[in-house]
Amino acid sequence: TILVIGAGGQLGLELTHELRQLYGASSVIAADVRAPQNPELQEAGPFELLDVLDKSRLEEVMRQYKPKQVYHLAALLSATAEKNPKFGWQLNMDGLFHVLDAAVDLGVQQVYWPSSIAVFGPDTPRHNTPQLTVMNPNTVYGISKLAGEQWCEWYFKKHGLDVRSLRYPGLIGYKSLPGGGTTDYAVDIYHKAVAGESYNCFLAEETYLPMMYMPDALKATLDLMHAPADTIQVRSSYNLSAMSFSPREVAASIQRHYPDFQVSYQPDSRQQIADSWPASIDDSRARQDWGWQPQYSLDTMTDDMLFHLKEALVLK
Ligand code: VAH
């Protein structure tokens, strides 16, 4: 079996769906601290209420289902963690320790844990940011993800735990909503366009950030987890990239379908977070080691996003 912790989140919903397609619904346990709005998660397969900070509950779930793989996705994202720094650190770090220790104690074969481009800071080279470089993150989320990467590498070296990780860019998908991220504007903007509304963007027009369409992120995650262990040369976390764009560029891409779509720009506190991150990422190590290759560009993502969001509206 496979356990997905944080299955109700933006990535968790999509990854659980993908894993259930691949391995059969009954072998993928969805776990989250709250019952999901999305009934599909419980209807399609096993669901467990689990607060990853409750270590005995985590061990109870893991003893019951004996997962071979654990995907630990539960965390506070960048904007939310800046507002709740102590809880952000506690959930992101103690949650990871509970999973790593339980995985070692209970003999889990593989653990997946997501990192982020947030591990880079304002003095990191911003263009084609290398795998190994200066990393002084100045957000709670980035600090916790950088520390988490180092701990993952330590558990691999000291306990032989096969834990694997990717530094995701901003993720964009139509099946789930993001929660508390700085890149969430890139999802919100599509919903507004399809609803026939204008969009007031919380980042400045020219804020250039690394981004990825969810199908590419899911493929990268599964390609990484299916790669033979000896091909994985990076045990902190792999740089991963597909494209970079600015709010102005994604608005223009949408206006190819909705010529009258209006976007205004009113940067808020998330602008400082975005300005501390890279503009583009060098992911050549992922391409060399386990054959990473993104499929989607901004316009093909836009075409697919708008098609599915329009379809969902019709279904409503
Ligand atoms: C966030 N979506 O905005 C996440 C991600 C690179 C961005 O880490 O916090």
Side-chain angles (χ1 to χ4, degrees), residues 68-104:
K68 281 202 179 60
Q69 287 181 329
V70 176
Y71 288 76
H72 173 38
L73 310 177
L76 287 199
L77 293 187
S78 57
T80 311
E82 271 324 280
K83 291 189 213 116
N84 312 275
K86 287 295 181 300
F87 180 57
W89 174 259
Q90 186 193 16
L91 174 61
N92 293 5
M93 293 317 305
D94 291 350
L96 177 60
F97 282 127
H98 291 171
V99 171
L100 292 173
D101 287 332
V104 170

Side-chain angles (χ1 to χ4, degrees), residues 9-240:
Q10 179 194 11
L11 176 61
L13 273 172
E14 296 247 23
L15 201 51
T16 303
H17 180 79
E18 190 75 10
L19 289 166
R20 284 176 167 171
Q21 300 265 47
L22 218 53
Y23 296 103
S26 59
S27 57
V28 182
I29 322 309
D32 203 292
V33 68
R34 65 184 72 82
Q37 281 93 354
N38 191 316
E40 192 227 338
L41 208 56
Q42 290 142 306
E43 283 159 9
F47 176 84
E48 291 291 343
L49 276 177
L50 166 62
D51 175 350
V52 73
L53 291 178
D54 179 348
K55 188 164 182 188
S56 54
R57 172 66 181 146
L58 171 65
E59 288 169 342
E60 180 186 49
V61 170
M62 287 177 69
R63 267 197 291 275
Q64 179 182 344
Y65 292 99
K66 298 183 177 45
K68 281 202 179 60
Q69 287 181 329
V70 176
Y71 288 76
H72 173 38
L73 310 177
L76 287 199
L77 293 187
S78 57
T80 311
E82 271 324 280
K83 291 189 213 116
N84 312 275
K86 287 295 181 300
F87 180 57
W89 174 259
Q90 186 193 16
L91 174 61
N92 293 5
M93 293 317 305
D94 291 350
L96 177 60
F97 282 127
H98 291 171
V99 171
L100 292 173
D101 287 332
V104 170
D105 297 347
L106 300 170
V108 169
Q109 275 176 19
Q110 278 185 307
V111 174
Y112 179 76
W113 179 75
S115 184
S116 161
I117 59 162
V119 296
F120 300 114
D123 53 4
T124 301
R126 297 199 72 238
H127 297 279
N128 263 332
T129 301
Q131 177 72 41
L132 299 175
T133 183
V134 172
M135 302 168 84
N136 296 306
N138 62 3
T139 63
V140 170
Y141 174 68
I143 293 165
S144 73
K145 286 297 183 184
L146 180 55
E149 288 188 1
Q150 308 301 317
W151 277 109
C152 287
E153 187 161 27
W154 190 88
Y155 272 74
F156 171 72
K157 284 189 177 134
K158 299 291 184 229
H159 296 288
L161 181 63
D162 185 356
V163 46
R164 304 185 186 191
S165 181
L166 295 171
R167 290 169 181 164
Y168 289 125
L171 300 184
I172 297 157
Y174 58 84
K175 287 185 190 152
S176 60
L177 290 175
T182 297
T183 57
D184 298 0
Y185 87 87
V187 177
D188 304 343
I189 194 166
Y190 286 101
H191 286 265
K192 291 291 186 188
V194 168
E197 297 166 22
S198 61
Y199 181 57
N200 185 28
C201 182
F202 57 73
L203 294 183
E205 193 169 3
E206 296 308 330
T207 309
Y208 206 66
L209 285 171
M211 296 281 189
M212 182 175 288
Y213 195 29
M214 191 61 81
D216 271 339
L218 297 173
K219 183 174 184 314
T221 308
L222 295 176
D223 285 357
L224 175 77
M225 291 299 273
H226 294 150
D230 59 5
T231 64
I232 307 299
Q233 309 298 321
V234 171
R235 287 289 179 173
S236 49
S237 187
Y238 274 97
N239 277 11
L240 190 75

Side-chain angles (χ1 to χ4, degrees), residues 281-302:
I281 298 288
D282 170 1
D283 62 358
S284 44
R285 288 301 306 275
R287 294 170 193 248
Q288 281 158 24
D289 293 0
W290 43 274
W292 164 238
Q293 183 64 42
Q295 309 297 319
Y296 284 87
S297 68
L298 172 56
D299 286 345
T300 52
M301 171 176 75
T302 295

